[in-house]
Amino acid sequence: MRVIYNEQMADLASLLGEMAGLAGSAMDRATQALLQADLAAAESVIGEYDRIEDMIADAEERAFALLALQAPVAGDLRQVVSAIQIVQDVNRMVALALHVAKVARRRHPNHALPEAVNGYFAEMGRIAVHMGEGAREVLENRDPERAAQLNEDDEAMDDLHRHLFTLLMDREWKHGVAAAVDVTLLGRYYERFADHAVEIGRRVIFLVTGVLPPDPDSEA
Amino acid sequence: MRVIYNEQMADLASLLGEMAGLAGSAMDRATQALLQADLAAAESVIGEYDRIEDMIADAEERAFALLALQAPVAGDLRQVVSAIQIVQDVNRMVALALHVAKVARRRHPNHALPEAVNGYFAEMGRIAVHMGEGAREVLENRDPERAAQLNEDDEAMDDLHRHLFTLLMDREWKHGVAAAVDVTLLGRYYERFADHAVEIGRRVIFLVTGVLPPDPDSEA
């Protein structure tokens, strides 16, 4: 049993990692779509969404089958339960990349963003991709130090997000309300994407160390 | 074993239901805080957040203990796995109510909302509370018809959300960019709150019928 469990759990972890990588790649193309008004990039994110959703359903079923057929205990059981929770975080990351791509498509052939904020989104996109990649590595290697690095990326994301709001709230904002609404929602999508990557890191740290790190975005 | 399992699973379901009800109640007070610039209402939501987070951690641990100690199989196992997923939805609902309360507190003693959109938020708040209550009932009674009703509430929420955006995008919007940013985020919080309630309903329907209903907010 244990051998089969180990194999199947390794497969599941690598599937989760692959999906986190795909979420990062989707956010990469969605950001390109946004910055370049690149319709093909937007369509590629939107077009692959169903396939990733199928992978997510597959991962959920595999986790369930692991519980049902291998009846893991103790630390093994904890791993499968974490996998079930992590699937939901990955699922949201993919959905958030999809949201960004859809805004780019909706505004095409126009740019969704006023040029003044392009730099912010280029950087938020870069960080998001890095975090998707980081989540993938953490899921595959279970390296708690790499998991902790996700927090640093998240802080950089939060800083950018705060600056972006300062810009929006400034009386000098000259790009109108419609652009402000788009920028607000888009900023929120990137910030939430980062939160989910951090959450994946926290769950992996918990698995490895037995201690759940404090939530950096603790809401209270 | 089975008797103990049944008892503990019933306890867990009722804890989940209680938390969904608390999420609805938090959104109720958060909406009041928003509409009346009522600081005490905002503080009450913010002040109870940690206690609800403790309940959420407790629910996660109880689900884990059920798996570890009762080793449920088949439909019983499916129930516990669903409970683990539902905890995450309830967790987000509570966090979204907290976000609304914090906006109200941040703008106090001013109103966060321009009067023109008060009616929208009063109605979105009413629907959100109804959905929190619906999620509670569904978790406690596992009534698939009540679960399906959550979809109708969600459609009403989506309609309001769309109208709100039409208003924001209108050239006649006279309340400035800062208010538009607040309205955009707040609208998103209510809409996501509803999505999570729907997700709870879908998972319960899946448990009862074995068929996962299509996602009404399917993102592709």
Side-chain angles (χ1 to χ4, degrees):
Chain A
M1 288 294 256
R2 194 83 213 289
V3 175
I4 301 180
Y5 167 82
N6 283 340
E7 246 174 48
Q8 294 186 344
M9 186 63 224
D11 284 352
L12 178 58
S14 115
L15 179 60
L16 291 178
E18 186 188 346
M19 292 190 305
L22 287 173
S25 149
M27 202 49 141
D28 196 17
R29 276 166 292 142
T31 305
Q32 185 189 330
L34 202 59
L35 296 174
Q36 319 287 337
D38 179 341
L39 186 61
E43 292 288 5
S44 107
V45 174
I46 297 163
E48 81 183 3
Y49 180 72
D50 284 346
R51 190 174 61 84
I52 304 183
E53 283 299 286
D54 287 345
M55 289 174 73
I56 281 165
D58 180 36
E60 282 193 356
E61 271 318 297
R62 284 206 215 180
F64 185 77
L66 254 173
L67 290 176
L69 303 176
Q70 304 300 325
V73 294
D76 292 346
L77 176 59
R78 189 69 78 178
Q79 269 195 23
V80 185
V81 169
S82 295
I84 290 167
Q85 295 166 322
I86 287 168
V87 169
Q88 287 183 273
D89 285 304
V90 175
N91 192 11
R92 285 308 302 161
M93 289 167 77
V94 176
L96 290 161
L98 179 75
H99 286 333
V100 173
K102 282 187 165 180
V103 174
R105 183 171 74 174
R106 196 177 310 133
R107 300 293 173 237
H108 183 84
N110 297 315
H111 284 71
L113 297 173
E115 221 174 297
V117 299
N118 270 351
Y120 287 85
F121 280 91
E123 185 61 9
M124 296 200 320
R126 197 191 60 72
I127 297 172
V129 173
H130 191 246
M131 294 182 82
E133 199 50 37
R136 186 184 66 71
E137 286 174 31
V138 163
L139 286 164
E140 285 171 2
N141 308 327
R142 304 181 70 196
D143 173 355
E145 282 184 34
R146 185 73 188 84
Q149 269 183 37
L150 286 167
N151 288 341
E152 290 168 33
D153 284 338
D154 185 50
E155 276 172 35
M157 182 72 92
D158 284 346
D159 276 349
L160 281 162
H161 193 230
R162 260 192 300 275
H163 281 159
L164 192 62
F165 272 78
T166 315
L167 212 67
L168 279 172
M169 295 298 189
D170 195 306
R171 283 162 193 277
E172 302 295 305
W173 178 263
K174 292 190 189 326
H175 312 286
V177 168
V181 168
D182 275 348
V183 167
T184 301
L185 284 177
L186 288 163
R188 174 96 183 141
Y189 299 153
Y190 282 89
E191 188 227 344
R192 290 295 301 153
F193 185 97
D195 289 344
H196 286 289
V198 167
E199 195 56 31
I200 291 172
R202 292 176 72 229
R203 294 203 187 272
V204 172
I205 292 178
F206 178 58
L207 278 179
V208 176
T209 67
V211 182
L212 192 65
D215 185 350
D217 287 309
S218 175
E219 320 241 11
Chain B
M1 287 291 257
R2 194 82 214 292
V3 175
I4 302 179
Y5 166 83
N6 282 341
E7 247 174 47
Q8 293 186 344
M9 185 64 225
D11 284 352
L12 178 57
S14 115
L15 179 61
L16 291 178
E18 186 187 347
M19 292 191 303
L22 286 173
S25 149
M27 202 49 141
D28 195 17
R29 276 166 292 141
T31 304
Q32 185 189 330
L34 201 58
L35 295 174
Q36 320 287 338
D38 179 341
L39 187 61
E43 293 288 5
S44 109
V45 175
I46 296 164
E48 80 182 2
Y49 181 72
D50 284 346
R51 190 174 60 85
I52 302 184
E53 283 299 287
D54 287 345
M55 289 174 75
I56 282 166
D58 180 36
E60 282 194 355
E61 272 317 299
R62 285 207 214 179
F64 185 78
L66 253 173
L67 290 177
L69 304 175
Q70 304 300 326
V73 294
D76 291 348
L77 176 58
R78 188 69 77 178
Q79 269 195 24
V80 185
V81 169
S82 294
I84 290 167
Q85 295 166 324
I86 287 168
V87 170
Q88 287 183 273
D89 285 304
V90 174
N91 192 11
R92 285 307 302 160
M93 289 167 77
V94 176
L96 289 161
L98 178 74
H99 286 333
V100 172
K102 282 187 166 181
V103 174
R105 183 171 73 175
R106 197 178 311 135
R107 300 291 174 239
H108 184 83
N110 297 314
H111 284 70
L113 296 173
E115 221 175 296
V117 299
N118 268 353
Y120 287 85
F121 282 90
E123 185 61 11
M124 296 200 320
R126 195 192 60 74
I127 297 173
V129 174
H130 191 246
M131 292 182 83
E133 198 50 36
R136 186 184 65 71
E137 286 174 31
V138 164
L139 285 164
E140 286 171 2
N141 308 327
R142 305 181 69 197
D143 173 356
E145 282 183 34
R146 186 74 188 83
Q149 269 182 37
L150 286 167
N151 289 340
E152 289 167 34
D153 284 337
D154 185 50
E155 275 171 37
M157 182 72 92
D158 284 346
D159 275 349
L160 282 162
H161 194 231
R162 259 191 302 275
H163 281 159
L164 191 63
F165 272 78
T166 314
L167 211 68
L168 280 172
M169 293 300 190
D170 195 304
R171 284 161 194 277
E172 303 294 305
W173 179 263
K174 293 193 188 327
H175 314 285
V177 169
V181 168
D182 275 349
V183 167
T184 300
L185 284 177
L186 289 164
R188 173 97 184 139
Y189 300 152
Y190 283 89
E191 188 227 344
R192 290 295 301 154
F193 186 96
D195 289 345
H196 286 289
V198 167
E199 195 56 31
I200 293 171
R202 291 177 73 229
R203 295 204 188 272
V204 172
I205 291 178
F206 178 58
L207 278 179
V208 176
T209 67
V211 180
L212 192 65
D215 185 351
D217 287 309
S218 176
E219 320 240 11

